[in-house]
Amino acid sequence: MLIHANHIDLAYDEAGAGPPVLFVHGYPLSRRMWRPQLDGLGGVCRLLAVDLRGHGDSQATPPPYTVDLLADDLNAFLDALGINHPVIINGLSMGGYVTLAFYRKYTARVARLILTSTRAGPDSPEARTKRNQSINVIETDGVAPIVDNMAVQLLAPVNRTQPALLQEVRTIMLQTSPQGAMGDLAAMRDRPDATPTLSEVHCPVLVVHGKDDQVVPPEEARKMFQGLQTTSPEAELQLVENAGHLPNLEQPDAYNAILRSFLRSHSW
Ligand code: MLT
Protein backbone atom coordinates (compact mmCIF):
# COMPACT_ATOMS: atom_id res chain seq x y z
CA MET A 1 0.00 0.00 0.00
CA LEU A 2 1.11 3.57 -0.64
CA ILE A 3 0.38 6.60 1.49
CA HIS A 4 1.34 10.24 0.98
CA ALA A 5 3.33 11.63 3.92
CA ASN A 6 5.88 14.46 4.26
CA HIS A 7 5.42 15.27 0.52
CA ILE A 8 6.37 11.79 -0.74
CA ASP A 9 4.71 8.40 -1.28
CA LEU A 10 5.69 5.82 1.32
CA ALA A 11 4.98 2.11 0.88
CA TYR A 12 3.94 -0.06 3.79
CA ASP A 13 2.48 -3.41 4.77
CA GLU A 14 0.09 -4.02 7.58
CA ALA A 15 -1.07 -7.10 9.50
CA GLY A 16 -3.01 -7.89 12.66
CA ALA A 17 -5.03 -5.71 15.00
CA GLY A 18 -4.49 -4.00 18.34
CA PRO A 19 -1.86 -1.56 19.57
CA PRO A 20 0.30 -0.39 16.63
CA VAL A 21 3.93 -1.50 16.28
CA LEU A 22 6.00 0.34 13.68
CA PHE A 23 8.90 -1.64 12.15
CA VAL A 24 11.81 0.39 10.72
CA HIS A 25 14.29 -1.48 8.51
CA GLY A 26 18.06 -1.10 8.23
CA TYR A 27 20.41 -0.06 5.43
CA PRO A 28 20.12 -0.87 2.54
CA LEU A 29 17.06 -3.02 3.17
CA SER A 30 13.29 -2.57 3.03
CA ARG A 31 10.01 -3.46 4.76
CA ARG A 32 10.24 -6.86 3.12
CA MET A 33 12.79 -7.86 5.77
CA TRP A 34 9.98 -7.87 8.36
CA ARG A 35 7.91 -10.53 6.55
CA PRO A 36 8.49 -13.23 9.27
CA GLN A 37 7.28 -10.76 11.92
CA LEU A 38 4.17 -9.71 9.96
CA ASP A 39 3.41 -13.39 9.41
CA GLY A 40 4.09 -14.45 13.00
CA LEU A 41 3.01 -11.61 15.31
CA GLY A 42 -0.31 -10.49 13.81
CA GLY A 43 -2.22 -12.09 16.69
CA VAL A 44 -0.53 -9.77 19.18
CA CYS A 45 -0.61 -6.25 17.73
CA ARG A 46 -1.27 -4.14 14.64
CA LEU A 47 2.00 -4.43 12.72
CA LEU A 48 3.11 -1.70 10.33
CA ALA A 49 6.27 -2.14 8.24
CA VAL A 50 7.21 0.92 6.21
CA ASP A 51 9.79 1.48 3.46
CA LEU A 52 11.94 4.50 4.29
CA ARG A 53 12.30 7.01 1.45
CA GLY A 54 14.37 5.62 -1.42
CA HIS A 55 13.85 2.00 -0.33
CA GLY A 56 11.61 -0.78 -1.63
CA ASP A 57 8.51 0.81 -3.16
CA SER A 58 8.77 4.21 -1.46
CA GLN A 59 9.59 7.30 -3.44
CA ALA A 60 13.22 8.41 -3.54
CA THR A 61 14.38 11.99 -3.19
CA PRO A 62 17.90 13.25 -3.90
CA PRO A 63 20.51 12.75 -1.16
CA PRO A 64 21.59 13.69 1.44
CA TYR A 65 19.11 12.53 4.08
CA THR A 66 19.34 12.96 7.85
CA VAL A 67 18.06 10.72 10.64
CA ASP A 68 15.80 13.63 11.64
CA LEU A 69 14.29 13.78 8.14
CA LEU A 70 13.61 10.03 8.22
CA ALA A 71 12.06 10.43 11.69
CA ASP A 72 9.89 13.25 10.30
CA ASP A 73 8.74 10.84 7.57
CA LEU A 74 7.64 8.34 10.22
CA ASN A 75 5.82 11.05 12.15
CA ALA A 76 3.96 12.13 9.00
CA PHE A 77 3.28 8.47 8.17
CA LEU A 78 1.52 7.97 11.53
CA ASP A 79 -0.45 11.20 10.98
CA ALA A 80 -1.48 10.04 7.50
CA LEU A 81 -2.76 6.76 8.98
CA GLY A 82 -4.71 8.72 11.61
CA ILE A 83 -2.79 7.08 14.48
CA ASN A 84 -2.88 9.56 17.34
CA HIS A 85 -2.08 7.40 20.35
CA PRO A 86 1.49 6.36 21.24
CA VAL A 87 2.98 3.46 19.31
CA ILE A 88 5.64 0.84 19.83
CA ILE A 89 8.57 1.40 17.49
CA ASN A 90 11.15 -1.21 16.54
CA GLY A 91 14.20 -0.09 14.57
CA LEU A 92 16.93 -2.37 13.25
CA SER A 93 20.45 -0.97 12.86
CA MET A 94 20.02 2.23 10.78
CA GLY A 95 16.34 1.87 11.64
CA GLY A 96 17.47 2.06 15.27
CA TYR A 97 19.35 5.31 14.58
CA VAL A 98 16.10 6.67 13.11
CA THR A 99 14.10 5.28 16.03
CA LEU A 100 16.31 7.08 18.56
CA ALA A 101 15.94 10.30 16.53
CA PHE A 102 12.17 9.71 16.50
CA TYR A 103 12.19 9.26 20.29
CA ARG A 104 14.18 12.49 20.74
CA LYS A 105 11.86 14.49 18.46
CA TYR A 106 8.49 12.84 19.10
CA THR A 107 8.80 11.41 22.62
CA ALA A 108 5.08 11.65 23.34
CA ARG A 109 4.31 9.42 20.35
CA VAL A 110 6.32 6.48 21.75
CA ALA A 111 4.74 3.93 24.08
CA ARG A 112 7.67 1.47 23.99
CA LEU A 113 10.96 1.11 22.22
CA ILE A 114 12.59 -1.92 20.64
CA LEU A 115 16.20 -1.45 19.53
CA THR A 116 17.43 -4.29 17.32
CA SER A 117 21.05 -4.73 16.14
CA THR A 118 21.83 -1.08 16.67
CA ARG A 119 23.99 1.34 18.63
CA ALA A 120 23.61 4.78 20.20
CA GLY A 121 27.04 6.25 19.44
CA PRO A 122 27.91 8.24 16.31
CA ASP A 123 30.26 7.23 13.47
CA SER A 124 34.00 7.30 14.16
CA PRO A 125 36.14 9.41 11.77
CA GLU A 126 37.15 6.14 10.00
CA ALA A 127 33.52 5.11 9.61
CA ARG A 128 32.68 8.53 8.14
CA THR A 129 35.46 8.14 5.60
CA LYS A 130 34.05 4.72 4.62
CA ARG A 131 30.56 6.22 4.21
CA ASN A 132 32.01 8.76 1.77
CA GLN A 133 33.81 6.01 -0.13
CA SER A 134 30.56 4.05 -0.41
CA ILE A 135 28.71 7.15 -1.65
CA ASN A 136 31.35 7.52 -4.38
CA VAL A 137 31.02 3.85 -5.38
CA ILE A 138 27.22 4.07 -5.61
CA GLU A 139 27.35 7.33 -7.55
CA THR A 140 29.51 5.62 -10.19
CA ASP A 141 28.36 1.98 -10.18
CA GLY A 142 25.00 1.82 -8.36
CA VAL A 143 24.20 -0.33 -5.33
CA ALA A 144 25.31 -3.74 -6.71
CA PRO A 145 28.98 -3.54 -5.55
CA ILE A 146 27.83 -2.57 -2.05
CA VAL A 147 25.40 -5.49 -1.95
CA ASP A 148 28.10 -7.93 -3.05
CA ASN A 149 30.36 -6.88 -0.20
CA MET A 150 27.73 -6.55 2.47
CA ALA A 151 25.15 -9.35 2.11
CA VAL A 152 27.36 -12.12 3.52
CA GLN A 153 28.62 -9.96 6.40
CA LEU A 154 25.06 -9.35 7.57
CA LEU A 155 24.60 -13.02 8.44
CA ALA A 156 26.20 -15.04 11.23
CA PRO A 157 28.89 -17.40 9.84
CA VAL A 158 26.64 -20.36 10.67
CA ASN A 159 23.88 -18.96 8.41
CA ARG A 160 26.03 -18.06 5.41
CA THR A 161 25.59 -21.48 3.87
CA GLN A 162 21.82 -21.00 3.52
CA PRO A 163 21.46 -20.01 -0.15
CA ALA A 164 17.76 -19.06 0.11
CA LEU A 165 18.41 -16.69 3.03
CA LEU A 166 21.42 -15.11 1.37
CA GLN A 167 19.47 -14.68 -1.88
CA GLU A 168 16.53 -13.07 -0.05
CA VAL A 169 18.88 -10.57 1.64
CA ARG A 170 20.57 -9.76 -1.68
CA THR A 171 17.21 -9.32 -3.45
CA ILE A 172 15.95 -6.92 -0.78
CA MET A 173 19.18 -4.90 -0.91
CA LEU A 174 19.19 -4.64 -4.69
CA GLN A 175 15.75 -2.98 -4.60
CA THR A 176 17.24 0.05 -2.83
CA SER A 177 17.57 3.02 -5.16
CA PRO A 178 21.01 4.64 -5.51
CA GLN A 179 19.51 7.91 -4.25
CA GLY A 180 18.12 6.15 -1.19
CA ALA A 181 21.39 4.36 -0.41
CA MET A 182 23.45 7.55 -0.80
CA GLY A 183 20.89 9.47 1.24
CA ASP A 184 21.14 6.91 4.05
CA LEU A 185 24.94 6.90 4.03
CA ALA A 186 24.96 10.65 4.57
CA ALA A 187 22.32 10.31 7.31
CA MET A 188 24.38 7.66 9.13
CA ARG A 189 27.64 9.58 8.65
CA ASP A 190 26.20 12.78 10.10
CA ARG A 191 23.92 11.35 12.79
CA PRO A 192 24.28 12.87 16.24
CA ASP A 193 25.40 10.90 19.27
CA ALA A 194 22.18 9.39 20.64
CA THR A 195 23.78 8.35 23.95
CA PRO A 196 22.20 11.33 25.81
CA THR A 197 18.78 10.22 24.49
CA LEU A 198 19.15 6.87 26.28
CA SER A 199 19.07 8.54 29.67
CA GLU A 200 15.83 10.28 28.69
CA VAL A 201 13.98 7.06 27.89
CA HIS A 202 11.26 6.44 30.44
CA CYS A 203 9.10 3.95 28.54
CA PRO A 204 9.56 0.15 28.50
CA VAL A 205 12.46 -0.72 26.23
CA LEU A 206 13.82 -3.92 24.75
CA VAL A 207 17.31 -4.27 23.27
CA VAL A 208 17.72 -7.30 20.95
CA HIS A 209 20.97 -8.32 19.29
CA GLY A 210 22.41 -11.31 17.44
CA LYS A 211 25.23 -12.94 19.42
CA ASP A 212 27.27 -13.22 16.21
CA ASP A 213 26.62 -9.76 14.77
CA GLN A 214 29.74 -8.72 12.86
CA VAL A 215 28.36 -5.38 11.65
CA VAL A 216 27.38 -3.91 15.03
CA PRO A 217 29.14 -5.95 17.77
CA PRO A 218 26.93 -7.19 20.67
CA GLU A 219 29.08 -5.03 22.96
CA GLU A 220 27.15 -2.03 21.56
CA ALA A 221 23.87 -3.56 22.77
CA ARG A 222 25.33 -4.06 26.24
CA LYS A 223 26.49 -0.42 26.30
CA MET A 224 23.03 0.81 25.27
CA PHE A 225 21.41 -1.41 27.86
CA GLN A 226 23.62 0.06 30.60
CA GLY A 227 22.81 3.60 29.43
CA LEU A 228 19.10 2.83 29.47
CA GLN A 229 19.12 1.37 32.95
CA THR A 230 19.67 4.75 34.60
CA THR A 231 16.09 5.81 33.80
CA SER A 232 14.51 2.50 32.69
CA PRO A 233 15.46 -0.06 35.36
CA GLU A 234 13.12 -2.55 33.69
CA ALA A 235 14.93 -2.30 30.34
CA GLU A 236 15.47 -5.74 28.85
CA LEU A 237 18.44 -7.12 26.91
CA GLN A 238 18.05 -10.26 24.78
CA LEU A 239 20.88 -11.85 22.80
CA VAL A 240 19.86 -14.25 20.03
CA GLU A 241 21.91 -17.43 19.48
CA ASN A 242 23.13 -18.25 15.97
CA ALA A 243 22.15 -14.85 14.63
CA GLY A 244 24.19 -12.08 13.07
CA HIS A 245 22.99 -8.60 12.10
CA LEU A 246 19.52 -9.75 10.99
CA PRO A 247 18.19 -11.86 13.90
CA ASN A 248 14.60 -11.36 12.70
CA LEU A 249 15.41 -13.16 9.43
CA GLU A 250 18.11 -15.54 10.66
CA GLN A 251 16.21 -16.84 13.70
CA PRO A 252 12.61 -15.69 13.12
CA ASP A 253 11.04 -18.03 15.68
CA ALA A 254 13.39 -17.01 18.49
CA TYR A 255 13.13 -13.33 17.55
CA ASN A 256 9.33 -13.45 17.37
CA ALA A 257 9.16 -15.20 20.75
CA ILE A 258 11.24 -12.39 22.32
CA LEU A 259 9.01 -9.71 20.77
CA ARG A 260 5.80 -11.55 21.64
CA SER A 261 6.84 -11.78 25.28
CA PHE A 262 7.85 -8.08 25.42
CA LEU A 263 4.65 -6.94 23.68
CA ARG A 264 2.50 -8.94 26.08
CA SER A 265 4.43 -8.11 29.24
CA HIS A 266 3.36 -4.49 29.67
CA SER A 267 -0.14 -3.17 30.05
CA TRP A 268 -1.38 -0.36 27.80
C1 MLT B 1 22.48 -1.14 8.83
O1 MLT B 1 22.42 -2.38 8.86
O2 MLT B 1 21.47 -0.44 8.89
C2 MLT B 1 23.83 -0.50 8.68
O3 MLT B 1 24.77 -1.46 8.39
C3 MLT B 1 24.23 0.24 9.90
C4 MLT B 1 25.53 0.95 9.76
O4 MLT B 1 26.20 0.83 8.72
O5 MLT B 1 25.92 1.66 10.70
Side-chain angles (χ1 to χ4, degrees), residues 6 12 16 18 32 62 72-73 81 97 107 116 152 157 172 178 195 197 230 236 239-240 246 257 259:
N6 211 14
Y12 70 104
R32 180 166 155 173
D72 292 345
D73 288 350
L81 285 174
Y97 309 157
T107 312
T116 301
V152 169
I172 296 174
T195 310
T197 303
T230 52
E236 224 184 286
L239 297 175
V240 184
L246 303 177
L259 261 60

Side-chain angles (χ1 to χ4, degrees), residues 186-233:
M188 292 191 285
R189 177 195 64 201
D190 299 337
R191 73 185 190 279
D193 185 1
T195 310
T197 303
L198 297 180
S199 52
E200 286 160 17
V201 172
H202 295 281
C203 65
V205 53
L206 167 67
V207 177
V208 196
H209 218 95
K211 271 193 174 165
D212 304 319
D213 190 336
Q214 296 184 358
V215 178
V216 178
E219 194 41 43
E220 296 287 348
R222 291 195 188 92
K223 267 200 279 183
M224 272 197 309
F225 178 61
Q226 278 164 11
L228 286 161
Q229 279 184 314
T230 52
T231 51
S232 302

Side-chain angles (χ1 to χ4, degrees), residues 45-93:
C45 285
R46 178 183 179 193
L47 312 166
L48 296 160
V50 63
D51 281 339
L52 295 171
R53 64 171 68 204
H55 292 257
D57 300 311
S58 283
Q59 198 177 329
T61 55
Y65 305 162
T66 62
V67 287
D68 283 31
L69 172 71
L70 299 174
D72 292 345
D73 288 350
L74 298 180
N75 183 53
F77 172 72
L78 294 176
D79 283 346
L81 285 174
I83 296 176
N84 301 315
H85 40 279
V87 301
I88 302 165
I89 177 163
N90 177 15
L92 182 141
S93 199

Side-chain angles (χ1 to χ4, degrees), residues 118-241:
T118 194
R119 54 156 67 91
D123 270 11
S124 63
E126 297 74 32
R128 289 198 187 107
T129 302
K130 282 193 192 149
R131 304 284 192 205
N132 288 333
Q133 287 164 352
S134 297
I135 289 172
N136 290 338
V137 169
I138 295 169
E139 203 158 26
T140 318
D141 298 320
V143 295
I146 301 289
V147 171
D148 287 340
N149 283 333
M150 199 172 165
V152 169
Q153 284 170 32
L154 292 181
L155 304 180
V158 70
N159 297 324
R160 291 179 186 168
T161 49
Q162 293 185 45
L165 179 60
L166 198 51
Q167 191 48 46
E168 172 67 357
V169 173
R170 289 173 54 84
T171 302
I172 296 174
M173 291 169 94
L174 285 168
Q175 284 167 352
T176 305
S177 73
Q179 283 191 326
M182 290 190 286
D184 292 347
L185 285 160
M188 292 191 285
R189 177 195 64 201
D190 299 337
R191 73 185 190 279
D193 185 1
T195 310
T197 303
L198 297 180
S199 52
E200 286 160 17
V201 172
H202 295 281
C203 65
V205 53
L206 167 67
V207 177
V208 196
H209 218 95
K211 271 193 174 165
D212 304 319
D213 190 336
Q214 296 184 358
V215 178
V216 178
E219 194 41 43
E220 296 287 348
R222 291 195 188 92
K223 267 200 279 183
M224 272 197 309
F225 178 61
Q226 278 164 11
L228 286 161
Q229 279 184 314
T230 52
T231 51
S232 302
E234 288 175 30
E236 224 184 286
L237 170 66
Q238 295 283 351
L239 297 175
V240 184
E241 298 277 352

